[in-house]
Short mmCIF file of all heavy atoms in Angstrom, two decimals:
data_model
loop_
_atom_site.label_atom_id
_atom_site.label_comp_id
_atom_site.label_asym_id
_atom_site.label_seq_id
_atom_site.Cartn_x
_atom_site.Cartn_y
_atom_site.Cartn_z
N MET A 27 -16.23 -12.82 7.29
CA MET A 27 -15.68 -11.54 6.82
C MET A 27 -14.16 -11.54 7.00
O MET A 27 -13.65 -11.90 8.04
CB MET A 27 -16.31 -10.40 7.63
CG MET A 27 -15.84 -9.04 7.14
SD MET A 27 -16.55 -7.72 8.15
CE MET A 27 -15.55 -6.34 7.56
N THR A 28 -13.48 -11.14 5.98
CA THR A 28 -12.03 -11.09 6.08
C THR A 28 -11.60 -9.81 6.77
O THR A 28 -12.21 -8.76 6.60
CB THR A 28 -11.38 -11.15 4.69
OG1 THR A 28 -11.93 -10.11 3.88
CG2 THR A 28 -11.62 -12.48 4.02
N THR A 29 -10.58 -9.94 7.58
CA THR A 29 -10.09 -8.76 8.29
C THR A 29 -8.76 -8.27 7.75
O THR A 29 -8.29 -7.20 8.10
CB THR A 29 -9.92 -9.05 9.80
OG1 THR A 29 -9.04 -10.17 9.94
CG2 THR A 29 -11.26 -9.38 10.42
N ASP A 30 -8.15 -9.08 6.91
CA ASP A 30 -6.95 -8.58 6.24
C ASP A 30 -6.86 -9.18 4.84
O ASP A 30 -7.56 -10.11 4.49
CB ASP A 30 -5.69 -8.86 7.05
CG ASP A 30 -5.58 -10.32 7.44
OD1 ASP A 30 -6.34 -11.14 6.91
OD2 ASP A 30 -4.72 -10.64 8.27
N ASP A 31 -5.97 -8.63 4.04
CA ASP A 31 -5.89 -9.03 2.65
C ASP A 31 -4.49 -8.70 2.13
O ASP A 31 -3.83 -7.81 2.65
CB ASP A 31 -6.94 -8.26 1.84
CG ASP A 31 -7.24 -8.93 0.51
OD1 ASP A 31 -6.68 -10.02 0.25
OD2 ASP A 31 -8.03 -8.38 -0.26
N VAL A 32 -4.06 -9.45 1.13
CA VAL A 32 -2.78 -9.15 0.51
C VAL A 32 -3.03 -8.26 -0.70
O VAL A 32 -3.76 -8.64 -1.61
CB VAL A 32 -2.05 -10.43 0.07
CG1 VAL A 32 -0.74 -10.08 -0.62
CG2 VAL A 32 -1.79 -11.34 1.25
N LEU A 33 -2.45 -7.09 -0.67
CA LEU A 33 -2.54 -6.19 -1.81
C LEU A 33 -1.16 -6.07 -2.44
O LEU A 33 -0.15 -6.24 -1.78
CB LEU A 33 -3.01 -4.80 -1.36
CG LEU A 33 -4.34 -4.74 -0.62
CD1 LEU A 33 -4.67 -3.30 -0.26
CD2 LEU A 33 -5.46 -5.34 -1.45
N THR A 34 -1.14 -5.80 -3.73
CA THR A 34 0.15 -5.61 -4.39
C THR A 34 0.34 -4.14 -4.72
O THR A 34 -0.61 -3.43 -5.01
CB THR A 34 0.25 -6.44 -5.68
OG1 THR A 34 -0.82 -6.09 -6.55
CG2 THR A 34 0.19 -7.92 -5.38
N TRP A 35 1.58 -3.71 -4.68
CA TRP A 35 1.90 -2.34 -5.08
C TRP A 35 3.17 -2.37 -5.92
O TRP A 35 3.99 -3.27 -5.81
CB TRP A 35 2.05 -1.42 -3.87
CG TRP A 35 3.06 -1.85 -2.84
CD1 TRP A 35 2.86 -2.74 -1.83
CD2 TRP A 35 4.42 -1.41 -2.73
NE1 TRP A 35 4.01 -2.87 -1.10
CE2 TRP A 35 4.98 -2.05 -1.62
CE3 TRP A 35 5.21 -0.51 -3.46
CZ2 TRP A 35 6.31 -1.86 -1.23
CZ3 TRP A 35 6.53 -0.30 -3.07
CH2 TRP A 35 7.06 -0.97 -1.97
N ILE A 36 3.29 -1.39 -6.79
CA ILE A 36 4.42 -1.32 -7.71
C ILE A 36 5.44 -0.32 -7.18
O ILE A 36 5.11 0.82 -6.89
CB ILE A 36 3.96 -0.86 -9.11
CG1 ILE A 36 2.85 -1.78 -9.64
CG2 ILE A 36 5.14 -0.81 -10.07
CD1 ILE A 36 3.29 -3.18 -9.96
N CYS A 37 6.68 -0.78 -7.07
CA CYS A 37 7.75 0.12 -6.64
C CYS A 37 7.92 1.24 -7.66
O CYS A 37 8.01 0.99 -8.87
CB CYS A 37 9.06 -0.65 -6.51
SG CYS A 37 10.49 0.40 -6.15
N GLN A 38 7.94 2.48 -7.17
CA GLN A 38 8.06 3.63 -8.07
C GLN A 38 9.49 3.82 -8.57
O GLN A 38 9.74 4.62 -9.45
CB GLN A 38 7.60 4.90 -7.34
CG GLN A 38 6.12 4.87 -6.97
CD GLN A 38 5.23 4.80 -8.20
OE1 GLN A 38 5.29 5.68 -9.07
NE2 GLN A 38 4.44 3.75 -8.30
N TYR A 39 10.43 3.09 -8.01
CA TYR A 39 11.82 3.24 -8.41
C TYR A 39 12.26 2.19 -9.41
O TYR A 39 12.92 2.49 -10.40
CB TYR A 39 12.73 3.18 -7.17
CG TYR A 39 12.49 4.33 -6.22
CD1 TYR A 39 11.56 4.22 -5.19
CD2 TYR A 39 13.18 5.53 -6.36
CE1 TYR A 39 11.32 5.28 -4.32
CE2 TYR A 39 12.95 6.60 -5.50
CZ TYR A 39 12.02 6.46 -4.49
OH TYR A 39 11.78 7.51 -3.64
N CYS A 40 11.90 0.93 -9.18
CA CYS A 40 12.37 -0.14 -10.06
C CYS A 40 11.23 -0.83 -10.80
O CYS A 40 11.47 -1.63 -11.70
CB CYS A 40 13.21 -1.16 -9.28
SG CYS A 40 12.23 -2.19 -8.15
N GLY A 41 9.98 -0.56 -10.43
CA GLY A 41 8.84 -1.12 -11.17
C GLY A 41 8.45 -2.54 -10.78
O GLY A 41 7.57 -3.13 -11.38
N GLU A 42 9.11 -3.09 -9.76
CA GLU A 42 8.79 -4.45 -9.32
C GLU A 42 7.55 -4.46 -8.43
O GLU A 42 7.28 -3.50 -7.71
CB GLU A 42 9.97 -5.05 -8.55
CG GLU A 42 11.16 -5.41 -9.43
CD GLU A 42 10.86 -6.52 -10.42
OE1 GLU A 42 10.14 -7.47 -10.04
OE2 GLU A 42 11.32 -6.43 -11.57
N GLU A 43 6.83 -5.58 -8.48
CA GLU A 43 5.66 -5.73 -7.63
C GLU A 43 6.07 -6.17 -6.23
O GLU A 43 6.95 -7.00 -6.06
CB GLU A 43 4.71 -6.79 -8.21
CG GLU A 43 3.60 -6.19 -9.01
CD GLU A 43 2.49 -7.20 -9.30
OE1 GLU A 43 2.49 -8.32 -8.76
OE2 GLU A 43 1.61 -6.85 -10.10
N ASN A 44 5.41 -5.62 -5.24
CA ASN A 44 5.59 -6.03 -3.86
C ASN A 44 4.24 -6.42 -3.29
O ASN A 44 3.20 -5.94 -3.75
CB ASN A 44 6.17 -4.88 -3.03
CG ASN A 44 7.62 -4.58 -3.36
OD1 ASN A 44 8.53 -5.07 -2.72
ND2 ASN A 44 7.84 -3.76 -4.39
N GLU A 45 4.27 -7.26 -2.28
CA GLU A 45 3.03 -7.63 -1.61
C GLU A 45 2.98 -6.99 -0.23
O GLU A 45 4.00 -6.78 0.42
CB GLU A 45 2.93 -9.16 -1.46
CG GLU A 45 2.66 -9.84 -2.77
CD GLU A 45 2.37 -11.33 -2.59
OE1 GLU A 45 2.76 -11.89 -1.54
OE2 GLU A 45 1.76 -11.90 -3.49
N LEU A 46 1.77 -6.69 0.19
CA LEU A 46 1.58 -6.04 1.48
C LEU A 46 0.34 -6.59 2.14
O LEU A 46 -0.73 -6.66 1.53
CB LEU A 46 1.42 -4.54 1.25
CG LEU A 46 1.12 -3.69 2.48
CD1 LEU A 46 2.39 -3.53 3.32
CD2 LEU A 46 0.59 -2.33 2.06
N TRP A 47 0.49 -7.03 3.39
CA TRP A 47 -0.69 -7.45 4.17
C TRP A 47 -1.33 -6.19 4.73
O TRP A 47 -0.67 -5.39 5.38
CB TRP A 47 -0.28 -8.40 5.30
CG TRP A 47 -0.12 -9.79 4.84
CD1 TRP A 47 1.06 -10.41 4.50
CD2 TRP A 47 -1.15 -10.76 4.65
NE1 TRP A 47 0.80 -11.70 4.11
CE2 TRP A 47 -0.55 -11.95 4.18
CE3 TRP A 47 -2.54 -10.73 4.80
CZ2 TRP A 47 -1.27 -13.10 3.89
CZ3 TRP A 47 -3.26 -11.88 4.51
CH2 TRP A 47 -2.62 -13.04 4.06
N VAL A 48 -2.60 -6.04 4.46
CA VAL A 48 -3.31 -4.85 4.91
C VAL A 48 -4.40 -5.25 5.89
O VAL A 48 -5.17 -6.18 5.64
CB VAL A 48 -3.95 -4.12 3.70
CG1 VAL A 48 -4.79 -2.94 4.18
CG2 VAL A 48 -2.87 -3.65 2.75
N ASP A 49 -4.42 -4.55 7.01
CA ASP A 49 -5.47 -4.78 8.01
C ASP A 49 -6.72 -4.00 7.60
O ASP A 49 -6.75 -2.77 7.66
CB ASP A 49 -4.96 -4.29 9.37
CG ASP A 49 -5.96 -4.60 10.49
OD1 ASP A 49 -7.11 -4.96 10.19
OD2 ASP A 49 -5.57 -4.49 11.66
N LEU A 50 -7.73 -4.74 7.15
CA LEU A 50 -8.93 -4.09 6.63
C LEU A 50 -9.87 -3.60 7.73
O LEU A 50 -10.88 -2.97 7.44
CB LEU A 50 -9.69 -5.05 5.70
CG LEU A 50 -8.92 -5.50 4.45
CD1 LEU A 50 -9.76 -6.46 3.65
CD2 LEU A 50 -8.51 -4.31 3.60
N THR A 51 -9.53 -3.90 8.98
CA THR A 51 -10.37 -3.40 10.06
C THR A 51 -10.05 -1.94 10.37
O THR A 51 -10.77 -1.28 11.10
CB THR A 51 -10.20 -4.24 11.35
OG1 THR A 51 -8.84 -4.16 11.78
CG2 THR A 51 -10.57 -5.69 11.08
N ILE A 52 -8.94 -1.47 9.81
CA ILE A 52 -8.60 -0.05 9.98
C ILE A 52 -9.32 0.72 8.88
O ILE A 52 -9.01 0.58 7.70
CB ILE A 52 -7.08 0.17 9.89
CG1 ILE A 52 -6.36 -0.62 10.98
CG2 ILE A 52 -6.76 1.66 9.98
CD1 ILE A 52 -4.85 -0.60 10.87
N GLU A 53 -10.30 1.51 9.28
CA GLU A 53 -11.11 2.20 8.28
C GLU A 53 -10.50 3.52 7.84
O GLU A 53 -10.81 4.03 6.77
CB GLU A 53 -12.53 2.45 8.82
CG GLU A 53 -13.30 1.15 9.00
CD GLU A 53 -14.73 1.40 9.46
OE1 GLU A 53 -15.08 2.56 9.68
OE2 GLU A 53 -15.47 0.42 9.60
N ASP A 54 -9.66 4.07 8.68
CA ASP A 54 -9.08 5.35 8.33
C ASP A 54 -8.01 5.19 7.25
O ASP A 54 -7.46 4.12 7.06
CB ASP A 54 -8.45 6.01 9.56
CG ASP A 54 -9.51 6.54 10.52
OD1 ASP A 54 -10.64 6.76 10.06
OD2 ASP A 54 -9.19 6.73 11.70
N LYS A 55 -7.73 6.27 6.59
CA LYS A 55 -6.68 6.30 5.59
C LYS A 55 -5.35 5.92 6.24
O LYS A 55 -5.03 6.36 7.34
CB LYS A 55 -6.61 7.70 5.01
CG LYS A 55 -5.54 7.91 3.98
CD LYS A 55 -5.56 9.36 3.52
CE LYS A 55 -4.35 9.66 2.66
NZ LYS A 55 -4.26 11.10 2.36
N GLN A 56 -4.58 5.09 5.55
CA GLN A 56 -3.26 4.70 6.04
C GLN A 56 -2.20 5.29 5.12
O GLN A 56 -2.35 5.28 3.91
CB GLN A 56 -3.13 3.18 6.10
CG GLN A 56 -4.15 2.53 7.04
CD GLN A 56 -4.00 1.02 7.08
OE1 GLN A 56 -2.98 0.50 7.50
NE2 GLN A 56 -5.02 0.31 6.63
N ASP A 57 -1.14 5.75 5.72
CA ASP A 57 -0.11 6.46 4.96
C ASP A 57 1.22 6.15 5.66
O ASP A 57 1.44 6.56 6.79
CB ASP A 57 -0.42 7.96 4.99
CG ASP A 57 0.50 8.77 4.10
OD1 ASP A 57 1.61 8.31 3.81
OD2 ASP A 57 0.09 9.88 3.71
N PHE A 58 2.06 5.38 4.98
CA PHE A 58 3.30 4.98 5.64
C PHE A 58 4.38 4.69 4.61
O PHE A 58 4.12 4.69 3.41
CB PHE A 58 3.06 3.75 6.53
CG PHE A 58 2.36 2.61 5.82
CD1 PHE A 58 3.10 1.60 5.21
CD2 PHE A 58 0.97 2.56 5.77
CE1 PHE A 58 2.46 0.56 4.56
CE2 PHE A 58 0.33 1.52 5.09
CZ PHE A 58 1.07 0.53 4.49
N ILE A 59 5.58 4.45 5.11
CA ILE A 59 6.73 4.19 4.25
C ILE A 59 7.07 2.70 4.31
O ILE A 59 7.11 2.10 5.38
CB ILE A 59 7.96 5.00 4.71
CG1 ILE A 59 7.63 6.50 4.78
CG2 ILE A 59 9.15 4.74 3.80
CD1 ILE A 59 7.33 7.15 3.46
N GLU A 60 7.28 2.09 3.13
CA GLU A 60 7.63 0.69 3.07
C GLU A 60 8.78 0.53 2.07
O GLU A 60 8.75 1.11 1.00
CB GLU A 60 6.40 -0.11 2.61
CG GLU A 60 6.58 -1.60 2.64
CD GLU A 60 6.17 -2.22 3.99
OE1 GLU A 60 5.89 -1.48 4.95
OE2 GLU A 60 6.15 -3.45 4.05
N ASP A 61 9.78 -0.27 2.46
CA ASP A 61 10.91 -0.48 1.56
C ASP A 61 10.58 -1.53 0.51
O ASP A 61 9.95 -2.55 0.80
CB ASP A 61 12.14 -0.94 2.35
CG ASP A 61 12.71 0.18 3.21
OD1 ASP A 61 12.38 1.35 2.95
OD2 ASP A 61 13.48 -0.13 4.13
N CYS A 62 11.01 -1.29 -0.72
CA CYS A 62 10.84 -2.26 -1.80
C CYS A 62 11.69 -3.50 -1.52
O CYS A 62 12.85 -3.39 -1.09
CB CYS A 62 11.27 -1.62 -3.12
SG CYS A 62 11.32 -2.77 -4.50
N GLU A 63 11.14 -4.69 -1.75
CA GLU A 63 11.89 -5.91 -1.50
C GLU A 63 13.01 -6.12 -2.51
O GLU A 63 13.98 -6.83 -2.26
CB GLU A 63 10.95 -7.13 -1.56
CG GLU A 63 10.02 -7.20 -0.37
CD GLU A 63 9.06 -8.38 -0.48
OE1 GLU A 63 9.29 -9.25 -1.34
OE2 GLU A 63 8.08 -8.41 0.29
N THR A 64 12.89 -5.50 -3.67
CA THR A 64 13.87 -5.71 -4.72
C THR A 64 15.03 -4.70 -4.65
O THR A 64 16.19 -5.08 -4.63
CB THR A 64 13.19 -5.62 -6.10
OG1 THR A 64 12.16 -6.59 -6.16
CG2 THR A 64 14.19 -5.87 -7.22
N CYS A 65 14.70 -3.41 -4.59
CA CYS A 65 15.76 -2.40 -4.62
C CYS A 65 15.95 -1.71 -3.27
O CYS A 65 16.86 -0.89 -3.13
CB CYS A 65 15.48 -1.36 -5.71
SG CYS A 65 14.06 -0.29 -5.38
N CYS A 66 15.11 -2.05 -2.28
CA CYS A 66 15.24 -1.54 -0.91
C CYS A 66 15.03 -0.04 -0.79
O CYS A 66 15.37 0.54 0.24
CB CYS A 66 16.59 -1.93 -0.29
SG CYS A 66 16.79 -3.70 -0.13
N ARG A 67 14.51 0.58 -1.84
CA ARG A 67 14.23 2.02 -1.72
C ARG A 67 12.88 2.22 -1.05
O ARG A 67 11.96 1.45 -1.25
CB ARG A 67 14.22 2.67 -3.10
CG ARG A 67 15.60 2.80 -3.73
CD ARG A 67 15.46 3.60 -5.01
NE ARG A 67 16.75 3.98 -5.54
CZ ARG A 67 17.21 3.54 -6.71
NH1 ARG A 67 16.50 2.69 -7.43
NH2 ARG A 67 18.36 3.95 -7.16
N PRO A 68 12.74 3.28 -0.26
CA PRO A 68 11.48 3.52 0.45
C PRO A 68 10.42 4.10 -0.47
O PRO A 68 10.67 5.06 -1.20
CB PRO A 68 11.87 4.51 1.54
CG PRO A 68 13.06 5.23 1.02
CD PRO A 68 13.79 4.26 0.12
N ASN A 69 9.26 3.49 -0.46
CA ASN A 69 8.11 4.00 -1.18
C ASN A 69 7.09 4.48 -0.16
O ASN A 69 6.93 3.88 0.90
CB ASN A 69 7.46 2.90 -2.03
CG ASN A 69 8.23 2.61 -3.30
OD1 ASN A 69 7.78 2.85 -4.40
ND2 ASN A 69 9.44 2.06 -3.15
N ARG A 70 6.41 5.56 -0.50
CA ARG A 70 5.32 6.02 0.35
C ARG A 70 4.04 5.34 -0.11
O ARG A 70 3.65 5.48 -1.28
CB ARG A 70 5.18 7.53 0.24
CG ARG A 70 4.09 8.08 1.17
CD ARG A 70 3.98 9.58 0.98
NE ARG A 70 2.87 10.10 1.77
CZ ARG A 70 2.33 11.30 1.56
NH1 ARG A 70 2.79 12.07 0.59
NH2 ARG A 70 1.33 11.71 2.30
N LEU A 71 3.40 4.58 0.78
CA LEU A 71 2.18 3.85 0.43
C LEU A 71 0.98 4.51 1.07
O LEU A 71 1.00 4.84 2.26
CB LEU A 71 2.28 2.39 0.89
CG LEU A 71 3.46 1.61 0.33
CD1 LEU A 71 3.38 0.17 0.80
CD2 LEU A 71 3.51 1.67 -1.18
N ILE A 72 -0.04 4.69 0.28
CA ILE A 72 -1.26 5.32 0.78
C ILE A 72 -2.43 4.39 0.49
O ILE A 72 -2.64 3.97 -0.65
CB ILE A 72 -1.49 6.68 0.10
CG1 ILE A 72 -0.33 7.62 0.41
CG2 ILE A 72 -2.81 7.28 0.56
CD1 ILE A 72 -0.33 8.88 -0.42
N ILE A 73 -3.15 4.02 1.53
CA ILE A 73 -4.36 3.23 1.38
C ILE A 73 -5.53 4.14 1.75
O ILE A 73 -5.65 4.55 2.90
CB ILE A 73 -4.34 1.99 2.30
CG1 ILE A 73 -3.11 1.14 2.00
CG2 ILE A 73 -5.62 1.16 2.11
CD1 ILE A 73 -2.88 0.03 3.00
N PRO A 74 -6.36 4.47 0.77
CA PRO A 74 -7.46 5.39 1.06
C PRO A 74 -8.41 4.80 2.09
O PRO A 74 -8.44 3.59 2.32
CB PRO A 74 -8.15 5.55 -0.29
CG PRO A 74 -7.16 5.11 -1.31
CD PRO A 74 -6.34 4.06 -0.63
N GLN A 75 -9.21 5.65 2.66
CA GLN A 75 -10.23 5.23 3.62
C GLN A 75 -11.08 4.13 2.99
O GLN A 75 -11.50 4.22 1.85
CB GLN A 75 -11.10 6.43 3.97
CG GLN A 75 -11.99 6.18 5.16
CD GLN A 75 -12.65 7.47 5.63
OE1 GLN A 75 -12.68 8.45 4.92
NE2 GLN A 75 -13.17 7.45 6.83
N GLN A 76 -11.30 3.05 3.76
CA GLN A 76 -12.03 1.89 3.24
C GLN A 76 -13.51 2.21 3.09
O GLN A 76 -14.14 2.72 4.00
CB GLN A 76 -11.86 0.69 4.18
CG GLN A 76 -10.42 0.31 4.44
CD GLN A 76 -9.72 -0.15 3.19
OE1 GLN A 76 -10.30 -0.80 2.35
NE2 GLN A 76 -8.44 0.18 3.07
N LYS A 77 -14.04 1.88 1.94
CA LYS A 77 -15.47 2.03 1.73
C LYS A 77 -16.10 0.64 1.76
O LYS A 77 -15.46 -0.35 1.44
CB LYS A 77 -15.75 2.70 0.38
CG LYS A 77 -15.19 4.10 0.30
CD LYS A 77 -15.71 4.81 -0.92
CE LYS A 77 -15.23 6.25 -0.97
NZ LYS A 77 -14.00 6.42 -1.69
N GLU A 78 -17.35 0.59 2.13
CA GLU A 78 -18.00 -0.69 2.36
C GLU A 78 -17.87 -1.69 1.22
O GLU A 78 -17.55 -2.84 1.41
CB GLU A 78 -19.49 -0.47 2.65
CG GLU A 78 -19.78 -0.47 4.16
CD GLU A 78 -21.24 -0.29 4.45
OE1 GLU A 78 -22.05 -0.96 3.78
OE2 GLU A 78 -21.58 0.51 5.32
N GLU A 79 -18.14 -1.24 0.02
CA GLU A 79 -18.10 -2.18 -1.10
C GLU A 79 -16.94 -1.93 -2.03
O GLU A 79 -16.84 -2.52 -3.09
CB GLU A 79 -19.44 -2.10 -1.89
CG GLU A 79 -20.60 -2.62 -1.06
CD GLU A 79 -21.92 -2.48 -1.81
OE1 GLU A 79 -21.87 -2.35 -3.04
OE2 GLU A 79 -22.96 -2.51 -1.16
N GLY A 80 -16.07 -1.03 -1.64
CA GLY A 80 -14.93 -0.73 -2.50
C GLY A 80 -13.87 -1.80 -2.38
O GLY A 80 -13.73 -2.45 -1.36
N ILE A 81 -13.13 -1.99 -3.44
CA ILE A 81 -12.00 -2.91 -3.40
C ILE A 81 -10.79 -2.12 -2.93
O ILE A 81 -10.43 -1.11 -3.51
CB ILE A 81 -11.74 -3.50 -4.80
CG1 ILE A 81 -12.96 -4.28 -5.27
CG2 ILE A 81 -10.49 -4.39 -4.78
CD1 ILE A 81 -12.95 -4.62 -6.74
N PRO A 82 -10.18 -2.57 -1.83
CA PRO A 82 -9.04 -1.82 -1.32
C PRO A 82 -7.85 -1.86 -2.28
O PRO A 82 -7.62 -2.85 -2.97
CB PRO A 82 -8.71 -2.52 0.00
CG PRO A 82 -9.31 -3.87 -0.12
CD PRO A 82 -10.50 -3.75 -1.03
N PHE A 83 -7.13 -0.79 -2.34
CA PHE A 83 -5.94 -0.76 -3.18
C PHE A 83 -4.87 0.09 -2.50
O PHE A 83 -5.15 0.86 -1.58
CB PHE A 83 -6.26 -0.19 -4.57
CG PHE A 83 -6.68 1.24 -4.58
CD1 PHE A 83 -5.76 2.24 -4.82
CD2 PHE A 83 -7.99 1.58 -4.32
CE1 PHE A 83 -6.14 3.59 -4.83
CE2 PHE A 83 -8.38 2.92 -4.32
CZ PHE A 83 -7.46 3.92 -4.57
N VAL A 84 -3.66 -0.10 -2.96
CA VAL A 84 -2.53 0.65 -2.41
C VAL A 84 -2.00 1.58 -3.49
O VAL A 84 -1.77 1.16 -4.62
CB VAL A 84 -1.39 -0.30 -1.96
CG1 VAL A 84 -0.23 0.51 -1.41
CG2 VAL A 84 -1.89 -1.29 -0.94
N GLU A 85 -1.84 2.82 -3.14
CA GLU A 85 -1.23 3.77 -4.04
C GLU A 85 0.21 3.99 -3.59
O GLU A 85 0.45 4.29 -2.42
CB GLU A 85 -2.02 5.09 -3.99
CG GLU A 85 -1.52 6.14 -4.93
CD GLU A 85 -2.28 7.45 -4.74
OE1 GLU A 85 -3.43 7.42 -4.29
OE2 GLU A 85 -1.67 8.49 -5.04
N SER A 86 1.16 3.80 -4.49
CA SER A 86 2.55 4.01 -4.12
C SER A 86 3.07 5.29 -4.74
O SER A 86 2.72 5.65 -5.86
CB SER A 86 3.41 2.82 -4.55
OG SER A 86 3.31 2.59 -5.95
N ARG A 87 3.92 5.99 -3.99
CA ARG A 87 4.48 7.24 -4.47
C ARG A 87 5.96 7.28 -4.14
O ARG A 87 6.43 6.63 -3.21
CB ARG A 87 3.82 8.44 -3.79
CG ARG A 87 2.37 8.62 -4.19
CD ARG A 87 1.85 9.94 -3.69
NE ARG A 87 0.42 10.06 -3.90
CZ ARG A 87 -0.34 11.00 -3.34
NH1 ARG A 87 0.21 11.87 -2.53
NH2 ARG A 87 -1.63 11.05 -3.59
N LEU A 88 6.68 8.12 -4.88
CA LEU A 88 8.06 8.38 -4.53
C LEU A 88 8.10 9.11 -3.20
O LEU A 88 7.22 9.90 -2.89
CB LEU A 88 8.73 9.25 -5.61
CG LEU A 88 8.75 8.68 -7.03
CD1 LEU A 88 9.28 9.73 -7.99
CD2 LEU A 88 9.59 7.43 -7.11
N THR A 89 9.13 8.84 -2.41
CA THR A 89 9.21 9.51 -1.12
C THR A 89 9.89 10.86 -1.24
O THR A 89 9.91 11.65 -0.31
CB THR A 89 9.99 8.65 -0.10
OG1 THR A 89 11.22 8.25 -0.69
CG2 THR A 89 9.19 7.44 0.30
N ASP A 90 10.50 11.14 -2.39
CA ASP A 90 11.25 12.39 -2.51
C ASP A 90 10.56 13.40 -3.42
O ASP A 90 11.16 14.33 -3.90
CB ASP A 90 12.67 12.11 -3.03
CG ASP A 90 12.66 11.33 -4.34
OD1 ASP A 90 11.56 11.08 -4.88
OD2 ASP A 90 13.73 10.99 -4.82
N GLU A 91 9.26 13.21 -3.65
CA GLU A 91 8.55 14.17 -4.51
C GLU A 91 8.08 15.38 -3.72
O GLU A 91 8.04 15.35 -2.50
CB GLU A 91 7.39 13.50 -5.24
CG GLU A 91 6.27 13.05 -4.34
CD GLU A 91 5.15 12.38 -5.13
OE1 GLU A 91 5.34 11.97 -6.27
OE2 GLU A 91 4.07 12.25 -4.55
ZN1 ZN B 24 12.11 -1.26 -6.05
#
């Protein structure tokens, strides 16, 4: 069983893809700020609560909305 995975998210400011290592052993919803590697602007990343057979994904949002 894998305990972590690389997910990609799209920067809401410049549209570039970023990679993020996600700890899949954390079942609760994760909500944090991560800077874009390309434009260095902070994106708010939300990883919904992990479901047993669901494919984990990252939702990115503007931090100033
Ligand atoms: Zn960016």
